[in-house]
Amino acid sequence: MELIWFILAAYGLTFILVFGSIFNPIRPTAGKLGELFHCPLCTGFWVGVFLWSLNGATELFNFE
């Protein structure tokens, strides 16, 4: 069940970062960061790495 929560959190965060209109004023449009924030696969990978790194500091995802 924890894996499902992790997947849903990663998907939601990726969708918000790539397609959310709230980030339009601050989302980079040129360069490598511009490419990163317009590619759901690239952003999703880094969101997964970020959430995995938070795993030890939070009780949200417990993989044992």
Side-chain angles (χ1 to χ4, degrees):
M1 189 66 172
E2 290 85 12
L3 182 61
I4 293 173
W5 287 117
F6 183 84
I7 291 170
L8 288 173
Y11 176 78
L13 187 55
T14 300
F15 190 84
I16 289 170
L17 288 174
V18 174
F19 300 112
S21 62
I22 193 168
F23 288 114
N24 281 343
I26 61 172
R27 186 179 297 124
T29 58
K32 293 293 181 184
L33 279 178
E35 290 179 31
L36 174 70
F37 282 103
H38 284 93
C39 173
L41 293 175
C42 304
T43 306
F45 172 79
W46 291 110
V47 164
V49 169
F50 174 72
L51 289 177
W52 175 79
S53 68
L54 288 179
N55 189 28
T58 182
E59 294 287 324
L60 184 59
F61 312 113
N62 289 326
F63 300 114
E64 295 180 13

